[in-house]
Amino acid sequence: MPSTPALRVAIVGAGPAGIYAADILSKSADVSIDLFERLPAPYGLVRYGVAPDHPRIKGIILALYKVLQRGDIRLLGNVDYGTDITMADLREHYDAVIFATGAIRDADLNIPGVDLPGSYGAADFVSWYDGHPDVPRTWPLEAEKVAVIGNGNVALDVARVLSKHVDDLRSTEIPANVEDGLSANPVTDVHIFGRRGPAQVKFSPLELRELGQVPGVDVIVYDEDFEFDEGSEEALESSNQTRQVVKTLTDWTLRSPAGHPRRVHLHFLHSPVEIVGNGKVERLRTERTELTGDGSVRSTGRFEEFDVQAVYRAVGYFGSPLPDVPFDAVSGVIPNIGGRVLGDDGQPLARTYATGWIKRGPVGLIGSTKSDAAETIRNLLEEFEGGERPAPNRENDAILQKLQDRGVSFTTWHGWELLDTYERQLGEAAGRERIKVVPREEMTRISLSDAAVEVGY
């Protein structure tokens, strides 16, 4: 009979942050880990936040797959924290809990007209074209001219998917409902707006270059938007990435449009101030800005208006509050020090941790997520080192029985392998790597089609 692990930990969220935390913890202590995920599929924003025409980035999934495929971390999917399981349940069954729920909703953009029909959050659009099971199956693609507010990679993704001809997306894993929607997309012009200059954008060089290689799409930049100050020069000297981005943008100023049927316009030094329309989006009003010397900008009092019928806000992600967990509504994170969650009195709460974007905010890439997880796990192990621990119900199947008693159709790693195989078979029949299954009910049904498989360790 196997010995009882010295530590029993629950992790809420099976995206990169949760999986990396589980991996580091499993290699650092005698521990049993349950990884809870509210969707039937793991991988979080790598599956539901990366554009379908970026298989290179989705290669991160392979590393995450290898962690979970080992079998020493138990995945329990289709389990919603706050309804299917509660903090009281986690306290009863685990020595510690780590929240890795990420940031999945759009940050606010507080300008007049932001609530007009035709004004959308980029995160919602990304969830739609990535086949997220909890969003509507259709998207109102009715605009010929579109504005995208933001100068990061999500803005580029949104602009690229909107402008790309659907024939060039059919080889990806987009679901049938997304393919149908994009087939009827009447867009001709997509305008991307950033409030600072070319040296301050947050585009990655590769993603920017990819935009310029989309078949049938012209990328247009404007000479009057190219302004550099001392702060810009410092950024160019200190960052190879900034130099690559600025070189790409500058090269585009030297080429003429080829006359393609669709165009992406990049506008810098434009601060959106109002979305204008009578009952729906009709125009975007911006104020010209100018650099101040340190890379920041100030107002000029000069305004311009652009005729658009839709506006997408790609100004960042924001965390969501969780039941019975402290939350900083200004920063959109769980307040913490080094991953130790802080109570209302500012003191660390016992046995409660956070990692990933819900810990630090939606910044940084996979390297930051790994170092985040390492810090959180180090502090967790320090708390339990040599001290007495609660005596939770340590039976592995006790939490499973509780979920079953509540009628929760939870899925497992084996269930994900069944769903993964099914999606790949759908893709193979169409000459693709995979086609995503979208409805949650269908995902769950496929994942539970071999429910007799052992779900313990």
Side-chain angles (χ1 to χ4, degrees):
M1 184 174 179
S3 60
T4 301
L7 197 61
R8 186 160 167 75
V9 176
I11 301 177
V12 180
I19 295 174
Y20 285 133
D23 182 39
I24 294 169
L25 179 59
S26 68
K27 295 174 179 178
S28 305
D30 178 18
V31 61
S32 66
I33 302 169
D34 281 347
L35 186 60
F36 292 93
E37 169 56 46
R38 70 184 186 88
L39 297 176
Y43 307 139
L45 280 181
V46 181
R47 178 174 165 93
Y48 291 115
V50 176
D53 57 349
H54 273 171
R56 179 190 59 82
I57 297 177
K58 287 182 178 292
I60 297 167
I61 285 180
L62 179 60
L64 303 178
Y65 171 88
K66 289 179 178 179
V67 173
L68 296 182
Q69 195 262 347
R70 294 195 312 249
D72 58 332
I73 298 163
R74 185 165 65 177
L75 176 68
L76 298 174
N78 204 38
V79 179
D80 181 53
Y81 171 79
T83 56
D84 298 329
I85 56 167
T86 66
M87 180 65 89
D89 297 325
L90 298 179
R91 292 293 190 215
E92 177 185 355
H93 294 279
Y94 301 93
D95 295 302
V97 56
I98 302 172
F99 290 96
T101 50
I104 60 172
R105 61 188 175 112
D106 287 287
D108 291 335
L109 178 65
N110 296 315
I111 61 174
V114 73
D115 295 323
L116 280 171
S119 172
Y120 309 110
D124 292 334
F125 182 56
V126 171
S127 293
W128 174 75
Y129 67 58
D130 270 333
H132 196 291
D134 295 341
V135 302
R137 302 288 180 267
T138 60
W139 189 270
L141 292 169
E142 301 163 350
E144 292 185 357
K145 296 180 179 180
V146 176
V148 179
I149 300 173
N151 264 181
N153 286 337
V154 174
L156 289 183
D157 284 347
V158 169
R160 194 180 62 256
V161 171
L162 284 170
S163 61
K164 205 167 192 176
H165 296 275
V166 72
D167 287 345
D168 297 313
L169 286 166
R170 285 199 170 100
S171 62
T172 72
E173 61 186 34
I174 60 170
N177 66 295
V178 176
E179 183 178 338
D180 290 344
L182 292 172
S183 296
N185 182 16
V187 72
T188 60
D189 293 85
V190 179
H191 298 263
I192 304 176
F193 294 92
R195 60 187 298 270
R196 297 199 292 172
Q200 287 79 43
V201 299
K202 300 299 182 183
F203 307 143
S204 69
L206 180 59
E207 292 226 16
L208 185 62
R209 288 194 296 269
E210 286 177 347
L211 182 66
Q213 298 166 358
V214 177
V217 177
D218 280 326
V219 178
I220 301 172
V221 296
Y222 298 88
D223 290 340
E224 62 267 27
D225 292 347
F226 279 70
E227 180 181 316
F228 299 91
D229 61 358
E230 290 183 8
S232 303
E233 297 298 336
E234 291 176 4
L236 287 166
E237 290 177 7
S238 62
S239 170
N240 182 54
Q241 177 166 306
T242 300
R243 287 195 296 274
Q244 291 182 58
V245 166
V246 170
K247 182 182 186 307
T248 298
L249 293 171
T250 304
D251 288 347
W252 287 347
T253 67
L254 304 176
R255 70 184 192 184
S256 300
H260 291 309
R262 292 181 173 178
R263 294 160 293 276
V264 174
H265 308 257
L266 292 169
H267 303 276
F268 308 110
L269 302 171
H270 281 263
S271 180
V273 295
E274 184 178 5
I275 301 172
V276 182
N278 183 15
K280 60 180 181 179
V281 171
E282 296 174 352
R283 297 182 303 283
L284 177 68
R285 191 170 192 236
T286 69
E287 182 179 15
R288 295 290 306 198
T289 60
E290 61 184 10
L291 293 167
T292 60
D294 60 358
S296 58
V297 294
R298 61 181 165 231
S299 302
T300 66
R302 303 194 309 272
F303 297 90
E304 297 183 26
E305 289 194 358
F306 297 82
D307 291 333
V308 295
Q309 299 87 47
V311 174
Y312 289 78
R313 309 178 304 276
V315 295
Y317 287 96
F318 203 77
S320 300
L322 299 166
D324 301 319
V325 182
F327 185 70
D328 181 342
V330 175
S331 301
V333 299
I334 295 174
N336 70 93
I337 295 179
R340 294 201 68 177
V341 175
L342 302 178
D344 293 338
D345 59 359
Q347 297 301 307
L349 296 177
R351 307 188 289 139
T352 312
Y353 295 84
T355 192
W357 281 4
I358 199 64
K359 169 188 174 185
R360 71 176 188 275
V363 292
L365 303 175
I366 290 299
S368 301
T369 301
K370 289 181 177 179
S371 60
D372 239 7
E375 179 185 55
T376 294
I377 297 307
R378 183 169 61 251
N379 287 330
L380 184 154
L381 293 176
E382 285 180 0
E383 180 181 2
F384 287 98
E385 192 173 85
E388 293 187 7
R389 291 191 288 275
N393 185 340
R394 289 180 171 273
E395 292 296 325
N396 281 340
D397 291 343
I399 191 68
L400 305 184
Q401 186 63 53
K402 184 165 287 187
L403 292 172
Q404 290 170 345
D405 292 344
R406 293 172 180 172
V408 179
S409 299
F410 63 87
T411 62
T412 65
W413 175 248
H414 177 72
W416 163 242
E417 289 185 314
L418 293 174
L419 178 57
D420 182 40
T421 298
Y422 184 87
E423 291 185 339
R424 291 179 182 276
Q425 290 172 342
L426 287 179
E428 184 179 0
R432 310 184 194 181
E433 182 178 349
R434 81 166 64 235
I435 296 177
K436 281 182 181 173
V437 175
V438 178
R440 179 187 284 265
E441 298 78 11
E442 186 177 356
M443 294 174 70
T444 305
R445 177 185 60 77
I446 295 166
S447 298
L448 297 176
S449 59
D450 188 5
V453 171
E454 175 63 44
V455 296
Y457 290 98

